[in-house]
Amino acid sequence: DDDDDDSYTIEEFVDHVGIGVFQYKLILLAALYWMTEGIEIGIMSILSTHLICHWHLSVTQSSLLATVVFLGWAIGAPFWGYISDVYGRKRCISIGISFCAVFALISAASTNLIWLIVARFMVGLYCGTFAQIPGYISEYLPKNIRARVIMSLECCFAFGTLLASGFALVFLQWFGWRIWITMCAVPMICGACLQNLLTESPRYLLVSGQYDEANQVLQNLATENKKSALAGTLNKVVDTTRGRFSELFTDGRWATTIPLCYIWFASHFSYYGLQLLTAQLLVLDSWDCADQKSQVANQSVAIETCWQKCSYLDNNDYLQLMINAVSELPGVLFAILLIDTLGRKVTLSITLIIFVICMSLTSICLPYWTMMLILFIGRAMVTAASTQVPYVYVSEVYPTVMRGVGLGFCSGWGRIGSLLAPFTGQVLVTYHYQSAVIILCVLCSVAAFTALLLPVETKGRGLADVKDINNYSPVN
């Protein structure tokens, strides 16, 4: 058929044109948006500690400030995944960054705990849109560099947490928490002002029946990258069943979706559990392995029962938080080196196994700085396993018609894990440190094994636009 000989897919067009100015513009915007997510995580780790003293809160009250953000995130991520598939990637991301900025400013203006909790919940709800950013960017990238570019965005996430701590060092101590949150909202405001630079995904336009618009975006892509467009016509693909969560479990896709949900849950639970557990270890007045349990427990009880004994974070604390943020970068580089060589599944499994080894070592008596180095490596590995490789895999394994709900649904399970992490990282660790470590190790050991059993390896595969049962059959 001559028509078939002169036709091409979006995958073929993007691979032909390659990466250039058009994608760099979108990647910079995505980096800015991803950085704002890191800022929000940084705010959560500092704000509740500060307000324990400033507003005389109990630990239970202060923990709500982080809990409600994750609750909003867990609810918002699947919802915005549906919006992304049905109404478009650009609209979803634009709404999210705009309202994140609005509610961040409302947070800064809150006069009591109730209003602050409501505002922080709304921030989390709209932060759920950020799960769509890797999928959106992946739809513009050639397959030979797709994974590395998406994972490089994690550097911006780490920079966001670093920036939140840096702003706290400068503004929180001298001008108060309201000015600090306002300054943290500036990147969000900038992102909201630049949202018109976003271009709707040609893959979404194609499957939603907007053929001419999709073709125009591809022509603009070739023009801005100063490359010749492919000759012929774009294949028409229309699917009216976009954004259906039920499709994640039909035609064999359950064998991919259910393990992924567990992996996201376990990795995010462990990521935030490790952060909280590390904070508990850092508050010890002296490092005594034999008395580790009682020191952590006594410190926790003292804070819970007597806020008058609390103390504000000082310069050394903020510097330690900044070092913790930097510790995520080696995990990024390590995973980038492996992902296109060993594949997504093996890379995910290796990072989880190294994390388990590191956490197991913290249960034995080690010198303080040796312990900190092990925790540093562990955080780097669990960062790769929770915020990098899974985003790449999910963006590639689901077709365009359900990529949004796939990312949103899995991200929602990840945030449920984050929501439950304090029960281990803050509560259980005060009673028995080793028990908290065992839970993290068991969860991630099972996740590492589960990753290897995923039926599809997406390394080197193009992105599918419509549902295809062959995409979910085991790969030899």
Side-chain angles (χ1 to χ4, degrees):
D1 190 331
D2 292 339
D3 291 337
D4 291 338
D5 293 339
D6 293 333
S7 65
Y8 54 83
T9 65
I10 291 180
E11 186 77 26
E12 292 169 340
F13 192 98
V14 172
D15 284 344
H16 169 75
V17 171
I19 190 169
V21 174
F22 190 99
Q23 288 103 326
Y24 293 145
K25 174 185 66 178
L26 297 180
I27 290 170
L28 288 175
L29 283 172
L32 177 61
Y33 298 155
W34 208 244
M35 183 179 72
T36 64
E37 181 180 3
I39 289 174
E40 280 304 318
I41 297 299
I43 289 174
M44 282 190 289
S45 65
I46 297 173
L47 180 61
S48 58
T49 303
H50 181 82
L51 291 183
I52 285 177
C53 299
H54 192 73
W55 278 0
H56 303 164
L57 304 180
S58 68
V59 170
T60 301
Q61 289 175 315
S62 68
S63 66
L64 282 174
L65 293 175
T67 300
V68 296
V69 175
F70 286 132
L71 179 61
W73 220 314
I75 296 172
F79 172 77
W80 293 113
Y82 169 81
I83 296 297
S84 176
D85 279 342
V86 176
Y87 297 103
R89 288 35 168 156
K90 178 181 177 179
R91 183 175 300 179
C92 171
I93 296 171
S94 297
I95 292 173
I97 191 65
S98 299
F99 280 94
C100 272
V102 169
F103 284 104
L105 294 176
I106 292 176
S107 298
S110 298
T111 56
N112 57 58
L113 181 61
I114 298 298
W115 280 110
L116 184 57
I117 287 175
V118 172
R120 298 304 296 163
F121 172 82
M122 296 304 295
V123 168
L125 188 70
Y126 285 99
C127 277
T129 60
F130 295 150
Q132 302 304 315
I133 292 174
Y136 169 72
I137 292 298
S138 71
E139 293 176 345
Y140 274 107
L141 296 174
K143 60 176 172 287
N144 63 321
I145 62 167
R146 184 186 299 130
R148 284 171 287 166
V149 172
I150 294 175
M151 293 176 62
S152 296
L153 291 175
E154 168 60 23
C155 297
C156 304
F157 178 90
F159 182 72
T161 58
L162 182 70
L163 195 62
S165 300
F167 279 169
L169 182 65
V170 176
F171 296 103
L172 183 57
Q173 298 184 91
W174 296 99
F175 301 101
W177 68 273
R178 300 181 191 278
I179 297 298
W180 168 59
I181 289 185
T182 301
M183 293 304 301
C184 287
V186 170
M188 304 180 200
I189 296 171
C190 293
C193 293
L194 296 173
Q195 63 180 272
N196 287 334
L197 296 178
L198 291 172
T199 305
E200 185 55 84
S201 165
R203 291 181 181 271
Y204 164 77
L205 293 171
L206 183 65
V207 299
S208 62
Q210 303 176 66
Y211 175 82
D212 292 337
E213 291 83 352
N215 192 58
Q216 185 60 53
V217 170
L218 294 179
Q219 298 306 313
N220 293 341
L221 170 62
T223 301
E224 287 195 36
N225 288 359
K226 301 186 185 304
K227 297 289 181 68
S228 60
L230 282 177
T233 58
L234 176 64
N235 283 340
K236 290 186 177 181
V237 178
V238 179
D239 196 326
T240 58
T241 60
R242 305 186 312 277
R244 293 187 179 180
F245 287 98
S246 60
E247 296 284 354
L248 297 174
F249 300 94
T250 58
D251 296 331
R253 282 181 286 272
W254 63 270
T256 296
T257 300
I258 293 176
L260 280 175
C261 288
Y262 174 78
I263 291 169
W264 280 65
F265 174 88
S267 60
H268 280 73
F269 182 95
S270 301
Y271 175 81
Y272 291 102
L274 176 60
Q275 282 189 318
L276 297 170
L277 184 147
T278 303
Q280 291 288 341
L281 294 178
L282 290 175
V283 300
L284 299 180
D285 295 326
S286 62
W287 186 254
D288 183 356
C289 295
D291 199 33
Q292 196 177 76
K293 170 190 169 184
S294 61
Q295 286 193 61
V296 173
N298 291 338
Q299 182 81 19
S300 177
V301 171
I303 293 175
E304 178 67 40
T305 57
C306 188
W307 57 260
Q308 291 91 338
K309 295 182 180 180
C310 75
S311 59
Y312 290 100
L313 296 176
D314 58 23
N315 290 352
N316 289 332
D317 294 320
Y318 293 128
L319 290 174
Q320 183 62 53
L321 288 172
M322 295 170 75
I323 292 172
N324 287 343
V326 173
S327 72
E328 298 186 358
L329 298 180
V332 178
L333 299 177
F334 180 77
I336 286 176
L337 290 174
L338 296 184
I339 196 164
D340 281 330
T341 303
L342 301 181
R344 284 55 163 151
K345 300 192 317 182
V346 174
T347 300
L348 180 56
S349 184
I350 288 175
T351 53
L352 287 168
I353 290 171
I354 296 176
F355 169 75
V356 170
I357 294 172
C358 289
M359 292 309 301
S360 300
L361 291 175
T362 65
S363 295
I364 62 178
C365 188
L366 295 169
Y368 177 81
W369 287 110
T370 302
M371 179 72 75
M372 290 301 105
L373 176 60
I374 291 172
L375 291 172
F376 186 98
I377 297 172
R379 175 161 175 168
M381 293 300 104
V382 77
T383 296
S386 63
T387 62
Q388 297 176 51
V389 183
Y391 277 110
V392 174
Y393 186 86
V394 174
S395 297
E396 294 177 335
V397 77
Y398 292 114
T400 301
V401 294
M402 63 176 71
R403 187 166 295 123
V405 294
L407 282 165
F409 191 73
C410 291
S411 179
W413 275 99
R415 297 309 168 183
I416 292 173
S418 306
L419 187 68
L420 297 177
F423 290 101
T424 295
Q426 284 183 320
V427 178
L428 180 59
V429 72
T430 63
Y431 297 100
H432 196 269
Y433 175 83
Q434 283 75 16
S435 295
V437 170
I438 288 172
I439 289 176
L440 297 180
C441 289
V442 170
L443 282 174
C444 285
S445 295
V446 175
F449 180 70
T450 303
L452 295 175
L453 296 181
L454 287 168
V456 177
E457 173 55 67
T458 61
K459 183 186 76 169
R461 288 194 172 201
L463 299 183
D465 288 317
V466 294
K467 298 179 287 292
D468 182 357
I469 187 63
N470 292 325
N471 286 344
Y472 302 91
S473 58
V475 178
N476 295 326

